[in-house]
Coordinates of all heavy atoms in Angstrom, one line a residue:
M1 N -20.5 108.3 -15.4 CA -20.9 109.7 -15.4 C -22.3 110.0 -15.3 O -22.8 110.8 -14.4 CB -20.2 110.4 -16.5 CG -20.4 111.9 -16.5 SD -19.3 112.6 -15.2 CE -19.5 114.2 -15.6
K2 N -23.1 109.3 -16.0 CA -24.5 109.4 -16.1 C -25.1 109.0 -14.8 O -26.2 109.6 -14.3 CB -25.1 108.7 -17.3 CG -26.5 109.0 -17.5 CD -27.1 108.3 -18.8 CE -28.5 108.6 -19.0 NZ -29.0 108.1 -20.2
R3 N -24.6 108.0 -14.2 CA -25.1 107.4 -12.9 C -24.9 108.4 -11.8 O -25.7 108.7 -11.0 CB -24.4 106.1 -12.7 CG -25.0 105.3 -11.6 CD -24.5 104.0 -11.6 NE -25.1 103.2 -10.6 CZ -24.8 102.0 -10.3 NH1 -23.8 101.4 -10.8 NH2 -25.5 101.3 -9.4
A4 N -23.7 109.1 -11.8 CA -23.4 110.0 -10.7 C -24.3 111.3 -10.8 O -24.7 111.9 -9.9 CB -22.0 110.5 -10.8
R5 N -24.6 111.7 -12.0 CA -25.5 112.8 -12.3 C -26.9 112.5 -11.8 O -27.6 113.4 -11.2 CB -25.5 113.2 -13.8 CG -26.4 114.4 -14.0 CD -26.4 114.8 -15.5 NE -25.0 115.3 -15.8 CZ -24.5 115.7 -16.9 NH1 -25.3 115.5 -18.0 NH2 -23.3 116.2 -17.1
L6 N -27.3 111.2 -12.1 CA -28.7 110.9 -11.7 C -28.7 110.8 -10.2 O -29.7 111.3 -9.5 CB -29.0 109.5 -12.3 CG -30.3 108.9 -11.9 CD1 -31.4 109.8 -12.5 CD2 -30.5 107.5 -12.4
L7 N -27.7 110.3 -9.5 CA -27.7 110.3 -8.0 C -27.7 111.7 -7.5 O -28.4 112.0 -6.5 CB -26.4 109.6 -7.6 CG -26.2 109.4 -6.0 CD1 -27.3 108.6 -5.4 CD2 -24.8 108.8 -5.8
L8 N -26.9 112.6 -8.0 CA -26.8 114.0 -7.6 C -28.2 114.6 -7.7 O -28.7 115.3 -6.8 CB -25.8 114.8 -8.4 CG -25.7 116.3 -7.9 CD1 -25.2 116.3 -6.5 CD2 -24.8 117.0 -8.8
M9 N -28.9 114.4 -8.8 CA -30.2 115.0 -9.0 C -31.3 114.4 -8.0 O -32.2 115.1 -7.5 CB -30.7 114.8 -10.5 CG -29.8 115.7 -11.4 SD -30.3 115.3 -13.1 CE -31.7 116.1 -13.3
A10 N -31.2 113.2 -7.7 CA -32.0 112.6 -6.8 C -31.8 113.1 -5.4 O -32.8 113.4 -4.6 CB -31.8 111.0 -6.8
L11 N -30.5 113.3 -5.0 CA -30.2 113.9 -3.8 C -30.7 115.3 -3.5 O -31.2 115.7 -2.5 CB -28.7 113.8 -3.4 CG -28.2 112.5 -3.1 CD1 -26.7 112.5 -3.0 CD2 -28.8 111.9 -1.8
V12 N -30.6 116.1 -4.6 CA -31.1 117.5 -4.6 C -32.6 117.5 -4.5 O -33.2 118.2 -3.7 CB -30.6 118.3 -5.8 CG1 -31.4 119.5 -6.0 CG2 -29.1 118.4 -5.8
A13 N -33.3 116.6 -5.2 CA -34.8 116.6 -5.1 C -35.2 116.1 -3.8 O -36.2 116.7 -3.2 CB -35.2 115.6 -6.1
L14 N -34.5 115.1 -3.1 CA -34.9 114.7 -1.8 C -34.7 115.9 -0.8 O -35.5 116.0 0.2 CB -34.1 113.5 -1.4 CG -34.5 112.3 -2.0 CD1 -33.7 111.1 -1.7 CD2 -36.0 112.0 -1.6
N15 N -33.5 116.7 -1.0 CA -33.3 117.7 0.0 C -34.4 118.8 -0.2 O -34.8 119.4 0.8 CB -31.9 118.4 -0.3 CG -30.8 117.5 0.4 OD1 -31.0 117.1 1.5 ND2 -29.7 117.4 -0.3
L16 N -34.8 119.1 -1.4 CA -35.8 120.1 -1.6 C -37.2 119.6 -1.0 O -37.9 120.4 -0.4 CB -36.0 120.4 -3.1 CG -34.9 121.2 -3.7 CD1 -35.1 121.3 -5.2 CD2 -34.8 122.6 -3.1
L17 N -37.5 118.4 -1.1 CA -38.7 117.8 -0.6 C -38.6 117.9 0.9 O -39.6 118.2 1.6 CB -38.8 116.3 -1.0 CG -40.2 115.6 -0.6 CD1 -41.3 116.3 -1.3 CD2 -40.1 114.1 -1.0
Y18 N -37.5 117.5 1.6 CA -37.3 117.7 2.9 C -37.6 119.1 3.5 O -38.2 119.4 4.5 CB -36.0 117.1 3.4 CG -35.8 117.2 5.0 CD1 -36.4 116.3 5.8 CD2 -34.9 118.1 5.4 CE1 -36.2 116.4 7.2 CE2 -34.6 118.2 6.8 CZ -35.3 117.4 7.7 OH -35.1 117.6 9.0
F19 N -36.9 120.0 2.8 CA -37.0 121.4 3.1 C -38.5 121.9 3.1 O -39.0 122.5 4.0 CB -36.1 122.2 2.2 CG -36.2 123.7 2.5 CD1 -35.6 124.3 3.6 CD2 -37.0 124.5 1.7 CE1 -35.7 125.6 3.9 CE2 -37.1 125.9 1.9 CZ -36.4 126.4 3.1
A20 N -39.2 121.4 2.0 CA -40.6 121.8 1.9 C -41.4 121.2 3.0 O -42.3 121.9 3.6 CB -41.2 121.4 0.6
W21 N -41.1 120.0 3.5 CA -41.9 119.4 4.6 C -41.5 120.1 5.9 O -42.5 120.3 6.7 CB -41.4 118.0 4.6 CG -42.1 117.2 5.8 CD1 -43.3 116.8 5.9 CD2 -41.4 116.8 7.0 NE1 -43.5 116.2 7.2 CE2 -42.3 116.2 7.8 CE3 -40.0 116.9 7.4 CZ2 -42.0 115.7 9.1 CZ3 -39.7 116.3 8.6 CH2 -40.7 115.7 9.4
T22 N -40.3 120.4 6.2 CA -40.0 121.1 7.4 C -40.5 122.5 7.5 O -40.8 122.9 8.6 CB -38.5 121.2 7.7 OG1 -37.9 121.9 6.6 CG2 -37.8 119.7 7.8
Q23 N -40.8 123.2 6.4 CA -41.3 124.5 6.4 C -42.8 124.5 6.4 O -43.4 125.6 6.4 CB -40.7 125.3 5.3 CG -39.3 125.5 5.3 CD -38.7 126.1 6.5 OE1 -39.2 127.1 7.0 NE2 -37.7 125.5 7.2
G24 N -43.4 123.3 6.3 CA -44.9 123.3 6.3 C -45.5 123.4 4.9 O -46.7 123.5 4.8
G25 N -44.6 123.3 3.9 CA -45.1 123.4 2.6 C -46.0 122.3 2.1 O -46.7 122.4 1.1
L26 N -45.9 121.1 2.7 CA -46.6 120.0 2.4 C -47.8 119.7 3.3 O -48.4 118.7 3.2 CB -45.7 118.7 2.4 CG -44.5 118.7 1.5 CD1 -43.6 117.5 1.7 CD2 -44.8 118.9 0.0
A27 N -48.1 120.7 4.1 CA -49.3 120.6 5.0 C -50.6 120.4 4.2 O -51.5 119.8 4.7 CB -49.4 121.8 5.9
M28 N -50.7 121.0 3.0 CA -52.0 120.9 2.2 C -52.2 119.4 1.8 O -53.3 119.0 1.5 CB -52.0 121.8 1.1 CG -50.9 121.5 0.0 SD -50.9 122.5 -1.4 CE -49.7 123.7 -0.8
F29 N -51.1 118.6 1.9 CA -51.3 117.2 1.5 C -51.3 116.3 2.8 O -51.3 115.1 2.7 CB -50.1 116.7 0.7 CG -50.0 117.4 -0.6 CD1 -48.9 118.4 -0.8 CD2 -50.8 117.3 -1.6 CE1 -48.8 119.1 -1.9 CE2 -50.8 118.1 -2.7 CZ -49.7 118.9 -3.0
G30 N -51.4 117.0 3.9 CA -51.5 116.2 5.3 C -50.1 115.8 5.7 O -50.1 114.9 6.6
A31 N -49.1 116.3 5.2 CA -47.8 115.9 5.6 C -47.1 117.1 6.2 O -46.2 117.6 5.6 CB -47.0 115.3 4.4
A32 N -47.4 117.4 7.5 CA -46.7 118.5 8.1 C -46.0 118.0 9.4 O -46.6 117.1 10.0 CB -47.8 119.6 8.5
P33 N -44.9 118.6 9.7 CA -44.2 118.1 10.8 C -44.9 118.6 12.2 O -45.7 119.6 12.1 CB -42.8 118.8 10.8 CG -43.0 120.0 9.9 CD -44.1 119.6 9.0
A34 N -44.8 117.9 13.3 CA -45.3 118.3 14.5 C -44.8 119.6 15.0 O -43.7 120.0 14.7 CB -45.2 117.2 15.6
S35 N -45.7 120.4 15.6 CA -45.2 121.7 16.1 C -44.2 121.4 17.3 O -44.2 120.4 17.8 CB -46.3 122.6 16.5 OG -47.0 122.1 17.6
L36 N -43.5 122.5 17.7 CA -42.6 122.3 18.8 C -43.2 121.8 20.1 O -42.7 120.9 20.8 CB -41.8 123.7 19.1 CG -40.7 123.6 20.1 CD1 -39.6 122.6 19.7 CD2 -40.2 125.0 20.3
S37 N -44.4 122.3 20.4 CA -45.1 121.9 21.7 C -45.6 120.5 21.5 O -45.8 119.8 22.6 CB -46.2 122.8 22.0 OG -47.2 122.8 21.0
E38 N -45.8 119.9 20.4 CA -46.3 118.6 20.2 C -45.1 117.6 20.2 O -45.3 116.4 20.4 CB -47.1 118.5 18.9 CG -48.4 119.3 19.0 CD -49.1 119.2 17.7 OE1 -48.5 118.8 16.7 OE2 -50.2 119.7 17.6
R39 N -43.9 118.0 19.9 CA -42.8 117.0 19.7 C -42.3 116.5 21.1 O -42.1 115.4 21.2 CB -41.6 117.8 19.0 CG -41.9 117.9 17.6 CD -40.6 118.5 17.0 NE -40.9 119.5 16.0 CZ -40.2 120.4 15.5 NH1 -39.0 120.6 15.9 NH2 -40.6 121.2 14.6
E40 N -42.3 117.4 22.1 CA -41.7 117.0 23.4 C -42.6 117.6 24.5 O -42.2 118.4 25.2 CB -40.3 117.4 23.5 CG -39.3 116.7 22.5 CD -37.9 117.1 22.8 OE1 -37.6 117.7 23.7 OE2 -37.1 116.8 21.9
P41 N -43.8 117.1 24.7 CA -44.7 117.7 25.7 C -44.1 117.5 27.1 O -44.5 118.3 27.9 CB -46.0 117.0 25.5 CG -45.7 115.7 24.8 CD -44.5 116.0 23.9
Q42 N -43.4 116.4 27.3 CA -42.8 116.2 28.6 C -41.9 117.3 29.1 O -41.8 117.7 30.2 CB -42.2 114.9 28.7 CG -40.8 114.6 28.0 CD -41.0 114.3 26.5 OE1 -42.2 114.4 26.0 NE2 -39.9 114.0 25.9
R43 N -41.2 117.9 28.2 CA -40.3 119.0 28.5 C -41.1 120.2 28.8 O -40.6 121.0 29.7 CB -39.3 119.3 27.3 CG -38.3 118.2 27.1 CD -37.3 118.7 26.1 NE -36.4 117.6 25.7 CZ -35.1 117.4 26.3 NH1 -34.8 118.1 27.3 NH2 -34.5 116.4 26.0
M44 N -42.1 120.5 28.1 CA -43.0 121.7 28.5 C -43.6 121.5 29.9 O -43.7 122.4 30.7 CB -44.1 121.8 27.4 CG -43.6 122.1 26.1 SD -42.7 123.6 25.9 CE -44.0 124.8 25.9
A45 N -43.9 120.2 30.3 CA -44.5 120.0 31.6 C -43.5 120.1 32.7 O -43.8 120.3 33.9 CB -45.2 118.6 31.6
Q46 N -42.2 119.9 32.3 CA -41.1 119.9 33.4 C -40.6 121.2 33.7 O -39.8 121.4 34.6 CB -40.0 119.0 32.9 CG -40.2 117.6 32.9 CD -39.0 116.8 32.4 OE1 -38.1 117.4 31.8 NE2 -39.1 115.5 32.5
Q47 N -41.1 122.3 33.0 CA -40.5 123.6 33.2 C -41.0 124.1 34.6 O -42.1 123.9 34.9 CB -41.0 124.5 32.1 CG -40.4 124.3 30.8 CD -40.8 125.4 29.8 OE1 -41.5 126.4 30.2 NE2 -40.4 125.2 28.6
V48 N -40.1 124.7 35.3 CA -40.3 125.2 36.6 C -40.3 126.8 36.5 O -39.2 127.4 36.1 CB -39.3 124.8 37.6 CG1 -39.5 125.4 39.0 CG2 -39.3 123.2 37.8
R49 N -41.4 127.4 36.7 CA -41.5 128.9 36.7 C -40.9 129.4 35.4 O -40.0 130.3 35.4 CB -40.8 129.5 37.8 CG -41.6 129.1 39.2 CD -40.9 129.8 40.3 NE -40.0 130.9 40.0 CZ -39.2 131.5 40.8 NH1 -39.0 131.0 42.0 NH2 -38.5 132.5 40.4
P50 N -41.4 129.1 34.2 CA -40.8 129.6 33.0 C -41.0 131.2 32.8 O -40.3 131.8 32.1 CB -41.6 128.9 31.9 CG -42.9 128.5 32.5 CD -42.6 128.2 34.0
A51 N -42.0 131.7 33.5 CA -42.2 133.2 33.5 C -41.0 133.9 34.2 O -40.9 135.2 34.0 CB -43.5 133.5 34.1
A52 N -40.3 133.2 35.1 CA -39.2 133.9 35.8 C -38.0 134.1 35.0 O -37.0 134.8 35.4 CB -38.8 133.1 37.0
L53 N -37.9 133.5 33.8 CA -36.7 133.6 32.8 C -36.7 135.0 32.3 O -37.8 135.6 31.8 CB -36.9 132.7 31.7 CG -35.8 132.7 30.8 CD1 -34.4 132.2 31.4 CD2 -36.1 131.8 29.6
Q54 N -35.6 135.7 32.4 CA -35.5 137.1 31.9 C -34.3 137.1 30.9 O -33.2 136.6 31.2 CB -35.1 138.0 33.0 CG -36.2 138.2 34.0 CD -35.8 139.2 35.1 OE1 -34.7 139.6 35.2 NE2 -36.7 139.4 36.1
I55 N -34.5 137.6 29.8 CA -33.5 137.8 28.7 C -32.9 139.2 28.9 O -33.7 140.2 28.8 CB -34.0 137.5 27.3 CG1 -34.5 136.1 27.3 CG2 -33.0 137.8 26.3 CD1 -35.2 135.7 26.0
R56 N -31.6 139.4 29.1 CA -31.1 140.6 29.3 C -30.1 140.9 28.2 O -29.5 140.1 27.5 CB -30.3 140.6 30.6 CG -31.2 140.4 31.8 CD -30.3 140.4 33.0 NE -31.2 140.2 34.2 CZ -30.8 140.2 35.5 NH1 -29.6 140.3 35.7 NH2 -31.6 139.9 36.4
K57 N -29.9 142.3 28.0 CA -28.9 142.7 27.0 C -27.5 142.4 27.5 O -27.3 142.2 28.8 CB -29.0 144.2 26.7 CG -30.3 144.6 26.0 CD -30.4 146.0 25.8 CE -31.7 146.3 25.1 NZ -31.8 147.8 24.9
E58 N -26.5 142.3 26.7 CA -25.2 142.0 27.0 C -24.6 143.1 28.0 O -23.8 142.8 28.9 CB -24.3 141.9 25.9 CG -22.9 141.4 26.2 CD -22.0 141.1 24.9 OE1 -22.6 141.0 23.9 OE2 -20.9 141.0 25.0
S59 N -25.0 144.3 27.8 CA -24.5 145.3 28.7 C -25.1 145.2 30.2 O -24.4 145.8 31.1 CB -24.9 146.7 28.1 OG -26.2 146.9 28.0
D60 N -26.1 144.6 30.4 CA -26.7 144.5 31.7 C -26.2 143.3 32.4 O -26.4 143.2 33.6 CB -28.3 144.2 31.6 CG -29.0 145.4 31.0 OD1 -28.4 146.5 31.0 OD2 -30.1 145.2 30.5
V61 N -25.5 142.4 31.8 CA -25.0 141.2 32.4 C -23.7 141.5 33.1 O -22.7 142.2 32.7 CB -24.6 140.1 31.3 CG1 -24.1 138.9 32.0 CG2 -25.9 139.7 30.6
V62 N -23.6 141.1 34.4 CA -22.4 141.2 35.2 C -21.4 140.2 34.9 O -21.7 138.9 34.8 CB -22.7 141.3 36.7 CG1 -21.5 141.4 37.6 CG2 -23.8 142.2 37.0
A63 N -20.2 140.5 34.6 CA -19.1 139.5 34.3 C -18.8 138.7 35.5 O -18.8 139.1 36.6 CB -17.8 140.3 33.8
P64 N -18.6 137.4 35.2 CA -18.4 136.4 36.4 C -16.9 136.7 36.9 O -15.9 137.1 36.2 CB -18.4 135.1 35.7 CG -18.2 135.3 34.3 CD -18.7 136.7 34.0
V65 N -16.7 136.5 38.2 CA -15.5 136.6 38.8 C -14.6 135.5 38.5 O -15.0 134.3 38.6 CB -15.7 136.7 40.4 CG1 -14.3 136.8 41.1 CG2 -16.6 137.8 40.8
P66 N -13.3 135.7 38.0 CA -12.4 134.6 37.6 C -12.2 133.7 38.9 O -12.2 134.2 40.0 CB -11.2 135.3 37.2 CG -11.6 136.6 36.9 CD -12.7 137.0 37.7
A67 N -11.9 132.5 38.7 CA -11.7 131.5 39.7 C -10.6 131.8 40.6 O -10.5 131.6 41.8 CB -11.7 130.1 39.2
A68 N -9.4 132.4 39.9 CA -8.3 132.7 40.7 C -8.5 133.9 41.7 O -8.0 133.8 42.7 CB -7.1 133.1 39.7
A69 N -9.3 134.8 41.2 CA -9.6 135.9 42.2 C -10.6 135.5 43.2 O -10.5 136.1 44.4 CB -10.2 137.1 41.4
A70 N -11.4 134.5 43.1 CA -12.4 134.2 44.0 C -11.8 133.2 45.1 O -12.3 133.2 46.2 CB -13.5 133.4 43.3
S71 N -10.7 132.6 44.8 CA -10.1 131.7 45.8 C -9.1 132.5 46.7 O -8.6 133.4 46.3 CB -9.3 130.6 45.1 OG -8.3 131.2 44.4
P72 N -9.1 132.0 48.0 CA -8.2 132.8 48.9 C -6.7 132.7 48.5 O -6.3 131.7 47.8 CB -8.4 132.0 50.2 CG -9.0 130.7 49.8 CD -9.7 130.8 48.5
S73 N -6.0 133.7 48.9 CA -4.6 133.7 48.4 C -3.7 132.8 49.2 O -2.6 132.4 48.8 CB -4.1 135.2 48.6 OG -4.2 135.6 49.9
E74 N -4.2 132.4 50.5 CA -3.4 131.5 51.3 C -4.0 130.2 51.2 O -5.2 130.1 51.3 CB -3.4 132.1 52.7 CG -2.7 133.3 53.0 CD -2.7 133.8 54.3 OE1 -2.9 133.0 55.3 OE2 -2.5 135.0 54.6
P75 N -3.2 129.1 51.2 CA -3.8 127.7 51.3 C -4.6 127.5 52.6 O -4.3 128.0 53.6 CB -2.6 126.8 51.1 CG -1.4 127.6 51.5 CD -1.8 129.1 51.2
A76 N -5.5 126.6 52.6 CA -6.2 126.3 53.8 C -5.3 125.5 54.7 O -4.4 124.8 54.3 CB -7.4 125.3 53.4
P77 N -5.5 125.7 56.0 CA -4.6 125.0 57.0 C -4.8 123.5 56.9 O -5.9 122.9 56.5 CB -5.0 125.6 58.3 CG -6.3 126.1 58.1 CD -6.5 126.5 56.7
A78 N -3.8 122.8 57.2 CA -3.9 121.2 57.2 C -4.7 120.8 58.3 O -4.8 121.4 59.4 CB -2.5 120.7 57.4
P79 N -5.5 119.7 58.1 CA -6.4 119.2 59.1 C -5.5 118.8 60.3 O -4.4 118.2 60.1 CB -7.1 118.1 58.5 CG -6.3 117.6 57.3 CD -5.6 118.9 56.9
P80 N -6.0 118.8 61.5 CA -5.3 118.5 62.7 C -5.0 116.9 62.7 O -5.9 116.2 62.3 CB -6.1 118.9 63.8 CG -7.5 119.0 63.4 CD -7.3 119.4 61.9
T81 N -3.9 116.5 63.1 CA -3.6 115.1 63.2 C -3.7 114.6 64.6 O -3.6 115.4 65.6 CB -2.2 114.8 62.7 OG1 -1.3 115.5 63.5 CG2 -2.1 115.1 61.2
S82 N -4.0 113.3 64.8 CA -4.1 112.8 66.1 C -2.6 112.7 66.7 O -1.7 112.4 66.0 CB -4.8 111.5 66.1 OG -4.1 110.5 65.4
P83 N -2.5 112.6 68.0 CA -1.1 112.5 68.6 C -0.5 111.1 68.3 O 0.6 111.0 68.3 CB -1.4 112.7 70.1 CG -2.9 112.8 70.4 CD -3.6 112.8 68.9
N84 N -1.4 110.1 68.0 CA -0.8 108.8 67.8 C -0.5 108.5 66.3 O 0.1 107.5 66.0 CB -1.8 107.7 68.3 CG -2.0 107.8 69.8 OD1 -1.2 108.3 70.6 ND2 -3.2 107.3 70.2
A85 N -0.8 109.5 65.5 CA -0.6 109.3 64.0 C 0.9 109.4 63.7 O 1.6 110.1 64.3 CB -1.3 110.4 63.2
P86 N 1.4 108.5 62.8 CA 2.8 108.6 62.4 C 3.2 109.8 61.8 O 2.4 110.5 61.0 CB 3.0 107.4 61.5 CG 1.7 107.1 61.0 CD 0.7 107.6 62.0
S87 N 4.4 110.4 62.0 CA 4.8 111.6 61.4 C 5.3 111.3 60.0 O 6.0 110.3 59.8 CB 5.9 112.2 62.3 OG 6.4 113.4 61.6
T88 N 5.2 112.3 59.1 CA 5.6 112.0 57.7 C 6.6 113.2 57.3 O 6.8 113.4 56.2 CB 4.4 112.1 56.7 OG1 3.7 113.3 56.9 CG2 3.6 110.9 57.0
S89 N 7.2 113.8 58.3 CA 8.2 114.9 57.9 C 9.4 114.3 57.3 O 9.9 113.1 57.7 CB 8.5 115.8 59.1 OG 9.2 115.0 60.1
S90 N 10.2 115.0 56.6 CA 11.4 114.6 56.0 C 12.4 114.4 57.1 O 13.4 113.5 56.9 CB 11.9 115.6 55.0 OG 12.1 116.8 55.6
A91 N 12.5 115.0 58.2 CA 13.5 114.7 59.3 C 13.4 113.3 59.8 O 14.3 112.8 60.2 CB 13.2 115.8 60.4
D92 N 12.2 112.8 59.8 CA 12.0 111.4 60.3 C 12.7 110.4 59.4 O 13.1 109.3 59.8 CB 10.5 111.0 60.4 CG 9.9 111.8 61.6 OD1 10.6 112.4 62.3 OD2 8.7 111.9 61.6
H93 N 12.9 110.7 58.1 CA 13.3 109.7 57.1 C 14.9 109.9 56.8 O 15.4 109.3 56.0 CB 12.6 109.8 55.8 CG 11.1 109.5 56.1 ND1 10.7 108.2 56.3 CD2 10.0 110.3 56.1 CE1 9.4 108.2 56.5 NE2 8.9 109.4 56.3
E94 N 15.5 110.8 57.5 CA 16.9 111.2 57.2 C 17.8 109.9 57.6 O 18.8 109.7 56.9 CB 17.4 112.4 57.9 CG 16.8 113.6 57.3 CD 17.4 114.9 58.0 OE1 18.2 114.7 59.0 OE2 16.8 115.9 57.8
G95 N 17.5 109.2 58.6 CA 18.4 108.1 59.0 C 18.2 106.9 58.2 O 19.0 105.9 58.4
L96 N 17.3 106.8 57.3 CA 17.1 105.6 56.5 C 18.1 105.3 55.6 O 18.7 105.7 54.8 CB 15.7 105.6 56.0 CG 14.6 105.5 57.0 CD1 13.2 105.6 56.3 CD2 14.7 104.3 57.8

């Protein structure tokens, strides 16, 4: 029981230490996490026209058209077959 309590207290202390580090509370000791732009500079360099991004309110967004409504109601015609191609109709197989 005493060992479990000691383990729990150590985990809580480590969690508090981690929280303080992520929030910059340990910066005065020289232990601060890198800022977002320093963590992945290659992602910042890969952005294409970041100024073109627009954040809109939900009321301004147009609802997407469902896939069923966007597809044609009639199936596409079958591709033409060559005159020498074997027929696959059920009438050809009745005599078998």
Side-chain angles (χ1 to χ4, degrees):
M1 182 71 171
K2 188 174 184 178
R3 195 171 184 184
R5 181 177 290 172
L6 181 63
L7 180 63
L8 179 66
M9 291 172 76
L11 287 174
V12 169
L14 287 172
N15 278 319
L16 288 173
L17 187 64
Y18 178 73
F19 178 75
W21 175 71
T22 58
Q23 299 302 313
L26 302 178
M28 66 181 95
F29 301 111
S35 67
L36 184 61
S37 62
E38 293 173 351
R39 285 186 220 159
E40 297 183 9
Q42 71 277 8
R43 290 189 187 267
M44 297 296 283
Q46 289 176 351
Q47 290 185 5
V48 178
R49 295 182 16 196
L53 179 66
Q54 296 179 357
I55 299 175
R56 299 180 180 180
K57 294 181 180 178
E58 189 174 340
S59 61
D60 295 342
V61 178
V62 177
V65 178
S71 65
S73 58
E74 296 180 20
T81 58
S82 66
N84 298 335
S87 175
T88 58
S89 69
S90 59
D92 293 343
H93 299 290
E94 287 179 7
L96 294 176

